[in-house]
Amino acid sequence: SAGILHGDFGISQANKVPVSGLVFSAMLWSGGICLFALFLSFLISVPTGLYMAANAGGVFDRFLWGVTIALMTLPAFWLGTLLLMLFANPDLLDLFPASGSGPARIEHPGIFMRMQHLVLPVTTYTLSFSAFLIRSIRDAAVSELSNDHIRTARAKGQTERKIMNIHVLRNRLPSLLSLFGIAF
């Protein structure tokens, strides 16, 4: 048990290789999937949250508000299970494999051969991260849009796109970075 504190987990009974190597390999895959999903969720969340804030109270805003609440209430493991049941079920769609990380018979299959195996995990994490981020960005942008400097910018004739990109996004960038840290 003292070896565990030093990273020595022993030898795997099934594979006859050090367990620490297996754990490290799994951590690399999990970390890569999470970072890629976090990157995708920011690409989705920032424009969606800003658009929802610009059209607060509209049909699109109310619809996505409900979708984000539904996604926030679903734990990631449950969302992943639902996606598996829908997209990896031979009785339904059967578009993606239900498990694994790629072909085992090839020495180094590469990312493109593994892509099919990555779609469902990345989608699960991206949807989970995005729900939290969209709501946070929308709420922060709605709060920012009620400030006096936004009213002044509108009075000067600036377009809504310029107001959102320059005034709102720039002023909320520190909170976006802290949201990134929380999601990370």
Side-chain angles (χ1 to χ4, degrees):
S1 69
I4 292 174
L5 297 175
H6 300 314
D8 181 17
F9 298 114
I11 303 296
S12 167
Q13 296 296 324
N15 302 348
K16 307 295 185 216
V17 295
V19 173
S20 58
L22 296 173
V23 169
F24 182 71
S25 174
M27 285 176 59
L28 282 177
W29 273 104
S30 296
I33 287 171
C34 285
L35 284 176
F36 185 65
L38 189 60
F39 173 73
L40 284 179
S41 68
F42 263 91
L43 287 179
I44 293 166
S45 300
V46 172
T48 305
L50 291 176
Y51 185 79
M52 286 174 66
N55 300 300
V59 174
F60 184 75
D61 179 47
R62 286 184 297 197
F63 172 73
L64 272 183
W65 186 263
V67 170
T68 56
I69 286 183
L71 286 173
M72 285 177 70
T73 58
L74 282 175
F77 71 88
W78 184 247
L79 179 62
T81 303
L82 291 175
L83 290 174
L84 275 173
M85 288 172 44
L86 181 63
F87 295 110
N89 188 345
D91 296 332
L92 291 174
L93 295 177
D94 198 21
L95 297 174
F96 301 106
S99 64
S101 64
R105 285 174 253 137
I106 300 172
E107 184 68 30
H108 298 288
I111 193 70
F112 291 110
M113 293 187 78
R114 295 182 191 267
M115 196 70 72
Q116 188 178 13
H117 295 268
L118 297 175
V119 170
L120 290 179
V122 167
T123 302
T124 300
Y125 284 130
T126 300
L127 289 174
S128 295
F129 289 151
S130 293
F132 166 71
L133 294 172
I134 287 171
R135 293 267 321 270
S136 301
I137 291 168
R138 182 218 179 262
D139 291 344
V142 166
S143 171
E144 188 71 28
L145 285 171
S146 65
N147 289 339
D148 289 337
H149 68 92
I150 300 296
R151 201 168 324 148
T152 305
R154 285 186 177 131
K156 288 181 178 180
Q158 289 185 355
T159 63
E160 286 298 314
R161 174 178 250 170
K162 190 172 185 180
I163 289 171
M164 292 303 279
N165 289 338
I166 292 177
H167 298 288
V168 174
L169 193 57
R170 186 181 295 166
N171 288 341
R172 290 301 172 175
L173 195 59
S175 62
L176 283 176
L177 292 176
S178 60
L179 281 176
F180 180 78
I182 291 169
F184 181 72

